Amino acid sequence: MNAGKLSSFKRIVVKVGSALLVDAAIGQVRADWLASLADDLAQLKKAGVEVLVVSSGAIALGRQLLKLPSGPLKLEESQAAAAVGQIELGPAWNRVLAAHGYQTGQILLTLSDTEERRRYLNARSTLDTLLRLGAIPIINENDTVATSEIRYGDNDRLAARVASMASADCLVLLSDIDGLYTAPPGQDSSAEHIPVVHTITPAIEAMAGSAGSELSRGGMKTKIEAGKIATHAGAQMVIASGKTLHPLASIDRADTRKTWFSAATNPTAARKSWIAGSLEPKGSITVDGGAVAALQRGKSLLPAGVTAVSGQFQRGDCVWITAPDGVHLARGLITYDSDDAGRLIGCHSKDIEARLGYAGRDTMIHRDNMAMVVAGTDKRMPDAQSVDS
Ligand code: GLU
């Protein structure tokens, strides 16, 4: 396991809890602390790491601005508080990261954006584009529209979903506690700290208490749930205290307490096994010999290499990629629905807009959304023999 320096990862999601970001007594952003975190993020960027931030704090800021009483809020009050607080939170991040020359992009997600494949693919593609352009995505739940049954409610699990969606290899949960203990340390003085968790077993789950504070919803329980999501998506996770200044630099120090969770796989393998194993293909895209060779070299499928389209499917559905001789080469999540895919047969990328009447994406199936079929284990589509090559 890579429990070494954060700078050795490729893509890190950092989740920041409300209790760290907001001074509860005055309901304002802790500016010095945020600036120190921005320094750490900038160091990672300079070392070539792509970073995404999942930031809580909207409700904590908004409740103070709206002069709401302390204690639990009604759902509609927390939604109003989130609306007011988010408009403070975004600029706070923007300011501290702009000081290092980085652009920020605000992304507010609902549960369905991470659960429904089409929305998930859209959100993933926006995150990828922001990262490619060098910006730092600042993500929160879209609390203003999410009601109880359709919301995460805590940013621990949201951050784990974001890590999975962005194929991150590390998730950092900055919290007010410095990791996992055998029992809640505030209640049990014999509680022992656990530095590394290789597998999240029922015994590990039993160690997590359930309490969250008034400002942040997630207790250790949601952090362990986040760990299950993240480690199965191929990310290592670390729970560390964010109470000090420069909380990310502090994780790199050997003497700092934290808990690392080993990844169960790697992000590429997790994504490929999801595409290869759990989605039923809805159609087939037959490709020419040139495209077969390109796919075997790990390239994306472009419309120019497509010779036939069969089946009815929507954008984001899983389809077979079929060789001229009818053999299934790969499964992939397609960028276009079956009508538009049919219109784009043999089309060069520069002509896509003219054919469709809108500016579509260059790839028919992006290589990240593709899993090659292992030779000899594929199933032929019933109509594969009749596909015209
Ligand atoms: N989305 C909530 C907020 O920004 C925080 C949820 C959490 O504390 O985990 O205020």
PDB file of all heavy atoms in Angstrom, residues 105-119:
ATOM      1  N   GLY A 105     -13.635  25.751  -9.809  1.00  0.00           N
ATOM      2  CA  GLY A 105     -14.916  25.567 -10.487  1.00  0.00           C
ATOM      3  C   GLY A 105     -15.883  24.946  -9.499  1.00  0.00           C
ATOM      4  O   GLY A 105     -15.547  23.945  -8.852  1.00  0.00           O
ATOM      5  N   GLN A 106     -17.055  25.546  -9.334  1.00  0.00           N
ATOM      6  CA  GLN A 106     -18.013  25.027  -8.346  1.00  0.00           C
ATOM      7  C   GLN A 106     -18.910  23.961  -8.962  1.00  0.00           C
ATOM      8  O   GLN A 106     -19.511  24.178 -10.004  1.00  0.00           O
ATOM      9  CB  GLN A 106     -18.875  26.163  -7.818  1.00  0.00           C
ATOM     10  CG  GLN A 106     -19.988  25.668  -6.881  1.00  0.00           C
ATOM     11  CD  GLN A 106     -20.705  26.810  -6.217  1.00  0.00           C
ATOM     12  OE1 GLN A 106     -20.227  27.372  -5.246  1.00  0.00           O
ATOM     13  NE2 GLN A 106     -21.850  27.172  -6.755  1.00  0.00           N
ATOM     14  N   ILE A 107     -18.997  22.827  -8.289  1.00  0.00           N
ATOM     15  CA  ILE A 107     -19.884  21.757  -8.757  1.00  0.00           C
ATOM     16  C   ILE A 107     -20.783  21.350  -7.597  1.00  0.00           C
ATOM     17  O   ILE A 107     -20.292  20.969  -6.525  1.00  0.00           O
ATOM     18  CB  ILE A 107     -19.080  20.525  -9.217  1.00  0.00           C
ATOM     19  CG1 ILE A 107     -18.060  20.946 -10.261  1.00  0.00           C
ATOM     20  CG2 ILE A 107     -20.009  19.424  -9.694  1.00  0.00           C
ATOM     21  CD1 ILE A 107     -17.896  20.038 -11.424  1.00  0.00           C
ATOM     22  N   LEU A 108     -22.088  21.459  -7.790  1.00  0.00           N
ATOM     23  CA  LEU A 108     -23.042  21.032  -6.769  1.00  0.00           C
ATOM     24  C   LEU A 108     -23.737  19.779  -7.280  1.00  0.00           C
ATOM     25  O   LEU A 108     -24.360  19.791  -8.342  1.00  0.00           O
ATOM     26  CB  LEU A 108     -24.064  22.138  -6.492  1.00  0.00           C
ATOM     27  CG  LEU A 108     -23.458  23.455  -5.983  1.00  0.00           C
ATOM     28  CD1 LEU A 108     -24.543  24.504  -5.768  1.00  0.00           C
ATOM     29  CD2 LEU A 108     -22.677  23.231  -4.687  1.00  0.00           C
ATOM     30  N   LEU A 109     -23.612  18.699  -6.540  1.00  0.00           N
ATOM     31  CA  LEU A 109     -24.117  17.404  -7.006  1.00  0.00           C
ATOM     32  C   LEU A 109     -25.293  16.931  -6.167  1.00  0.00           C
ATOM     33  O   LEU A 109     -25.341  17.191  -4.962  1.00  0.00           O
ATOM     34  CB  LEU A 109     -23.013  16.349  -6.906  1.00  0.00           C
ATOM     35  CG  LEU A 109     -21.795  16.530  -7.816  1.00  0.00           C
ATOM     36  CD1 LEU A 109     -20.712  15.531  -7.440  1.00  0.00           C
ATOM     37  CD2 LEU A 109     -22.192  16.370  -9.276  1.00  0.00           C
ATOM     38  N   THR A 110     -26.198  16.241  -6.802  1.00  0.00           N
ATOM     39  CA  THR A 110     -27.243  15.527  -6.054  1.00  0.00           C
ATOM     40  C   THR A 110     -26.945  14.039  -6.153  1.00  0.00           C
ATOM     41  O   THR A 110     -26.147  13.610  -6.984  1.00  0.00           O
ATOM     42  CB  THR A 110     -28.640  15.789  -6.641  1.00  0.00           C
ATOM     43  OG1 THR A 110     -28.596  15.427  -8.013  1.00  0.00           O
ATOM     44  CG2 THR A 110     -29.054  17.224  -6.524  1.00  0.00           C
ATOM     45  N   LEU A 111     -27.643  13.265  -5.339  1.00  0.00           N
ATOM     46  CA  LEU A 111     -27.440  11.817  -5.323  1.00  0.00           C
ATOM     47  C   LEU A 111     -27.580  11.238  -6.730  1.00  0.00           C
ATOM     48  O   LEU A 111     -26.778  10.410  -7.156  1.00  0.00           O
ATOM     49  CB  LEU A 111     -28.476  11.197  -4.375  1.00  0.00           C
ATOM     50  CG  LEU A 111     -28.347   9.721  -4.067  1.00  0.00           C
ATOM     51  CD1 LEU A 111     -27.042   9.419  -3.357  1.00  0.00           C
ATOM     52  CD2 LEU A 111     -29.515   9.259  -3.199  1.00  0.00           C
ATOM     53  N   SER A 112     -28.584  11.715  -7.475  1.00  0.00           N
ATOM     54  CA  SER A 112     -28.808  11.106  -8.790  1.00  0.00           C
ATOM     55  C   SER A 112     -27.665  11.405  -9.760  1.00  0.00           C
ATOM     56  O   SER A 112     -27.451  10.662 -10.713  1.00  0.00           O
ATOM     57  CB  SER A 112     -30.151  11.544  -9.378  1.00  0.00           C
ATOM     58  OG  SER A 112     -30.207  12.936  -9.390  1.00  0.00           O
ATOM     59  N   ASP A 113     -26.912  12.475  -9.533  1.00  0.00           N
ATOM     60  CA  ASP A 113     -25.769  12.748 -10.414  1.00  0.00           C
ATOM     61  C   ASP A 113     -24.679  11.699 -10.273  1.00  0.00           C
ATOM     62  O   ASP A 113     -23.863  11.513 -11.172  1.00  0.00           O
ATOM     63  CB  ASP A 113     -25.148  14.120 -10.107  1.00  0.00           C
ATOM     64  CG  ASP A 113     -26.105  15.249 -10.417  1.00  0.00           C
ATOM     65  OD1 ASP A 113     -26.773  15.183 -11.450  1.00  0.00           O
ATOM     66  OD2 ASP A 113     -26.185  16.182  -9.610  1.00  0.00           O
ATOM     67  N   THR A 114     -24.646  11.044  -9.125  1.00  0.00           N
ATOM     68  CA  THR A 114     -23.620  10.017  -8.971  1.00  0.00           C
ATOM     69  C   THR A 114     -24.210   8.613  -9.143  1.00  0.00           C
ATOM     70  O   THR A 114     -23.473   7.650  -9.258  1.00  0.00           O
ATOM     71  CB  THR A 114     -22.922  10.100  -7.596  1.00  0.00           C
ATOM     72  OG1 THR A 114     -23.902   9.928  -6.578  1.00  0.00           O
ATOM     73  CG2 THR A 114     -22.227  11.419  -7.402  1.00  0.00           C
ATOM     74  N   GLU A 115     -25.537   8.486  -9.152  1.00  0.00           N
ATOM     75  CA  GLU A 115     -26.148   7.154  -9.243  1.00  0.00           C
ATOM     76  C   GLU A 115     -26.679   6.831 -10.634  1.00  0.00           C
ATOM     77  O   GLU A 115     -26.755   5.675 -11.007  1.00  0.00           O
ATOM     78  CB  GLU A 115     -27.304   7.010  -8.237  1.00  0.00           C
ATOM     79  CG  GLU A 115     -26.938   7.308  -6.802  1.00  0.00           C
ATOM     80  CD  GLU A 115     -25.853   6.393  -6.252  1.00  0.00           C
ATOM     81  OE1 GLU A 115     -26.137   5.219  -6.022  1.00  0.00           O
ATOM     82  OE2 GLU A 115     -24.720   6.877  -6.060  1.00  0.00           O
ATOM     83  N   GLU A 116     -27.140   7.838 -11.395  1.00  0.00           N
ATOM     84  CA  GLU A 116     -27.697   7.554 -12.725  1.00  0.00           C
ATOM     85  C   GLU A 116     -26.590   7.664 -13.748  1.00  0.00           C
ATOM     86  O   GLU A 116     -25.908   8.687 -13.811  1.00  0.00           O
ATOM     87  CB  GLU A 116     -28.794   8.561 -13.070  1.00  0.00           C
ATOM     88  CG  GLU A 116     -30.085   8.280 -12.364  1.00  0.00           C
ATOM     89  CD  GLU A 116     -31.081   9.403 -12.605  1.00  0.00           C
ATOM     90  OE1 GLU A 116     -30.957  10.108 -13.640  1.00  0.00           O
ATOM     91  OE2 GLU A 116     -31.949   9.573 -11.756  1.00  0.00           O
ATOM     92  N   ARG A 117     -26.462   6.631 -14.577  1.00  0.00           N
ATOM     93  CA  ARG A 117     -25.271   6.531 -15.417  1.00  0.00           C
ATOM     94  C   ARG A 117     -25.067   7.739 -16.330  1.00  0.00           C
ATOM     95  O   ARG A 117     -23.958   8.231 -16.484  1.00  0.00           O
ATOM     96  CB  ARG A 117     -25.290   5.236 -16.217  1.00  0.00           C
ATOM     97  CG  ARG A 117     -23.912   4.884 -16.715  1.00  0.00           C
ATOM     98  CD  ARG A 117     -23.754   3.439 -17.048  1.00  0.00           C
ATOM     99  NE  ARG A 117     -24.573   3.015 -18.137  1.00  0.00           N
ATOM    100  CZ  ARG A 117     -25.674   2.281 -18.006  1.00  0.00           C
ATOM    101  NH1 ARG A 117     -26.068   1.897 -16.816  1.00  0.00           N
ATOM    102  NH2 ARG A 117     -26.367   1.929 -19.041  1.00  0.00           N
ATOM    103  N   ARG A 118     -26.164   8.222 -16.939  1.00  0.00           N
ATOM    104  CA  ARG A 118     -25.972   9.324 -17.892  1.00  0.00           C
ATOM    105  C   ARG A 118     -25.510  10.596 -17.193  1.00  0.00           C
ATOM    106  O   ARG A 118     -24.612  11.291 -17.642  1.00  0.00           O
ATOM    107  CB  ARG A 118     -27.266   9.597 -18.653  1.00  0.00           C
ATOM    108  CG  ARG A 118     -27.254   8.915 -19.970  1.00  0.00           C
ATOM    109  CD  ARG A 118     -28.629   8.696 -20.537  1.00  0.00           C
ATOM    110  NE  ARG A 118     -28.817   7.269 -20.681  1.00  0.00           N
ATOM    111  CZ  ARG A 118     -29.888   6.605 -20.328  1.00  0.00           C
ATOM    112  NH1 ARG A 118     -30.922   7.216 -19.805  1.00  0.00           N
ATOM    113  NH2 ARG A 118     -29.954   5.318 -20.503  1.00  0.00           N
ATOM    114  N   ARG A 119     -26.149  10.867 -16.052  1.00  0.00           N
ATOM    115  CA  ARG A 119     -25.767  12.073 -15.305  1.00  0.00           C
ATOM    116  C   ARG A 119     -24.361  11.913 -14.740  1.00  0.00           C
ATOM    117  O   ARG A 119     -23.565  12.848 -14.708  1.00  0.00           O
ATOM    118  CB  ARG A 119     -26.771  12.319 -14.185  1.00  0.00           C
ATOM    119  CG  ARG A 119     -28.163  12.533 -14.757  1.00  0.00           C
ATOM    120  CD  ARG A 119     -29.152  12.696 -13.660  1.00  0.00           C
ATOM    121  NE  ARG A 119     -28.939  13.942 -12.964  1.00  0.00           N
ATOM    122  CZ  ARG A 119     -29.899  14.678 -12.467  1.00  0.00           C
ATOM    123  NH1 ARG A 119     -31.149  14.298 -12.609  1.00  0.00           N
ATOM    124  NH2 ARG A 119     -29.616  15.780 -11.826  1.00  0.00           N
TER     125      ARG A 119
END
